Amino acid sequence: MSGQIITKSLDRLVQQCYSRAVAQGALLFTESSVYKHREQGVVFEVRYVPALAKKPNSKPREKQHAKDFVNPFLPYDERLHVKQIGNTHHLLLNKYCVVPHHLLITTAEFRQQGEPLSEADFTAVLETIDNLSSRNIVFYNSGEES
């Protein structure tokens, strides 16, 4: 099996959803410049994405209770939906992706961005990365300034 590429079912589902979302114009794929930097044996990849300056800003916390507040993930855009993860989360394609197949794990019910992660959050992450064949990075967007 050496050198064989293992494709899991979630890989195929993500690829299919991504192709469909691109064809429907649901994604805004943005080109980026990649710079690699090696420091103490670790290679860092930095992406410069000038077009993200045009991305709509999130509303500050005090405006989240205003009549015009729009949660960007609820309801989610069906064209970006990959699958439901249990009863607590959704796997979505990132509308503003800088790399193909960029995924978001979002909660099924609104939660403040700065709230601590729950056991269900970790379960959703593990279920997702366990069902993908490629190496992945997961990060938590933990507040208004992140």
Side-chain angles (χ1 to χ4, degrees), residues 85 87-89 105-109 111-126 140:
I85 306 170
N87 294 323
T88 58
H89 291 78
I105 298 173
T106 64
T107 54
E109 294 185 14
R111 288 185 31 211
Q112 292 288 342
Q113 225 177 6
E115 288 183 32
L117 293 171
S118 69
E119 183 177 335
D121 295 326
F122 285 104
T123 300
V125 167
L126 289 175
Y140 173 53

Side-chain angles (χ1 to χ4, degrees), residues 30-35 45-53 98:
T30 304
E31 294 295 323
S32 60
S33 301
V34 179
Y35 302 94
E45 181 177 291
V46 178
R47 289 186 176 269
Y48 176 66
V49 190
L52 285 181
V98 295

Side-chain angles (χ1 to χ4, degrees), residues 83-100:
K83 68 174 276 188
Q84 184 161 341
I85 306 170
N87 294 323
T88 58
H89 291 78
H90 296 285
L91 186 63
L92 305 174
L93 294 165
N94 187 343
K95 179 177 184 167
Y96 301 101
C97 56
V98 295
V99 294

Side-chain angles (χ1 to χ4, degrees), residues 9-10 14 33-34 65 78 84 103 110 131-132 137 140-141:
S9 61
L10 188 53
V14 168
S33 301
V34 179
H65 298 290
E78 286 285 343
Q84 184 161 341
L103 299 170
F110 178 76
N131 288 291
L132 292 168
I137 184 169
Y140 173 53
N141 193 359

